[in-house]
Amino acid sequence: MTTELIYLALTLILALVQIFLPAGARTAEFGSKWNAGPRDETPEAKKPLTGRLERAQANLYETLPLFIGAVLIAHVIGASNALTVWGAALYFWGRVVYVPLYAFGVPYIRSLVWVVSLAGLVMVLASLFFV
């Protein structure tokens, strides 16, 4: 398995973790009875952490399909090189660092880390055209 595919697999694990983080925060806020119930009406989160974890998850899901596609295309066309490896690494580690920064409400640095992860995605995409 290439380094880029390893980073893709790790990013998918991160996405799975980011499913459970807001779910756990919602259960802590609304109780296990709410969680076990039909959840016909989900109350709005009152604790900032719950909302932040949900927004961090949504933010990952905005770029994740692009990252998946870029890494898989790079793999299929044999475009693996330093640009794809560094791009995949920047995307993954940027996303990892982004979660706690968003959860704890750290401004500016969180945005900078997001830009780093986006730069990683652009690097992988750019490599597709320099095979």
Side-chain angles (χ1 to χ4, degrees):
M1 186 155 55
T2 64
T3 302
E4 299 90 334
L5 289 177
I6 291 169
Y7 277 119
L8 176 55
L10 291 171
T11 303
L12 295 176
I13 293 168
L14 176 63
L16 187 61
V17 168
Q18 284 197 253
I19 289 171
F20 289 106
L21 288 174
R26 278 206 171 271
T27 300
E29 186 171 345
F30 304 126
S32 57
K33 184 177 179 182
W34 169 83
N35 192 1
R39 297 186 225 164
D40 293 331
E41 292 182 23
T42 300
E44 191 168 328
K46 297 204 182 336
K47 294 182 179 178
L49 180 63
T50 304
R52 289 174 185 162
L53 290 171
E54 289 171 343
R55 290 188 299 278
Q57 176 192 40
N59 187 278
L60 172 65
Y61 290 175
E62 289 172 358
T63 58
L64 184 57
L66 301 173
F67 181 67
I68 293 169
V71 169
L72 291 179
I73 291 169
H75 181 73
V76 168
I77 67 172
S80 180
N81 57 42
L83 194 61
T84 57
V85 171
W86 277 100
L90 285 173
Y91 181 82
F92 172 72
W93 289 110
R95 298 311 314 188
V96 167
V97 172
Y98 185 83
V99 175
L101 290 174
Y102 205 132
F104 294 117
V106 178
Y108 305 112
I109 296 171
R110 179 195 84 214
S111 297
L112 178 62
V113 168
W114 179 84
V115 169
V116 168
S117 72
L118 188 63
L121 173 58
V122 169
M123 288 167 70
V124 176
L125 286 169
S127 73
L128 303 179
F129 299 97
F130 300 109
V131 180

